[in-house]
Amino acid sequence: MARRQVFWHEAEGDEVREAALIEGDGLVVIEECSSGRLTEGVFGALSYRRSVTLADDEVRLRACRAPRRGSAPSALIRLLAWFYATCAGRLVDIEDILDEAGVEYAYTACPV
């Protein structure tokens, strides 16, 4: 069974955004959801979900190989820690870092 943990939430006027980490079923999903008039103007839907999905094995393998201090091989672990710690990242930043680190992922985006 998958476990969803919201780690970032922001509300401005009628616009609400949140990001969550979902773990389970052999996958790790980082999702960003938004709703409100701005979302509707940009995506044509009142609520929208974007996510990246990684194989849990890939995440665990990177975690085991990651050095204690930040360096290129620990890009995925640094990324997740940064996202939790600062609550200032966006999914597009995660995609850029995953691409740079050569980590395979699936991207999905759809109205909810």
Side-chain angles (χ1 to χ4, degrees):
M1 175 180 228
R3 180 181 56 173
R4 183 177 189 272
Q5 299 173 353
V6 173
F7 57 85
W8 176 71
H9 180 87
E10 178 179 79
E12 292 180 36
D14 76 333
E15 189 71 17
V16 176
R17 293 178 286 278
E18 73 176 24
L21 179 66
I22 303 166
E23 298 175 279
D25 302 326
L27 300 173
V28 173
V29 179
I30 303 167
E31 74 172 9
E32 205 171 270
C33 300
S34 61
S35 63
R37 290 182 194 198
L38 179 61
T39 296
E40 186 174 26
V42 172
F43 298 109
L46 191 56
S47 296
Y48 206 77
R49 176 186 185 265
R50 297 159 305 284
S51 66
V52 294
T53 302
L54 305 123
D56 189 34
D57 290 346
E58 175 74 13
V59 173
R60 291 183 195 283
L61 179 63
R62 297 269 175 162
C64 290
R65 290 183 178 170
R68 295 287 180 217
R69 300 264 170 181
S71 66
S74 66
L76 180 59
I77 299 309
R78 287 186 294 114
L79 164 69
L80 294 174
W82 167 77
F83 212 73
Y84 280 111
T86 67
C87 297
R90 297 290 186 269
L91 198 61
V92 69
D93 301 317
I94 291 174
E95 293 172 67
D96 289 345
I97 294 170
L98 292 173
D99 289 341
E100 191 176 298
V103 176
E104 291 186 28
Y105 64 91
Y107 173 81
T108 57
C110 60
V112 286

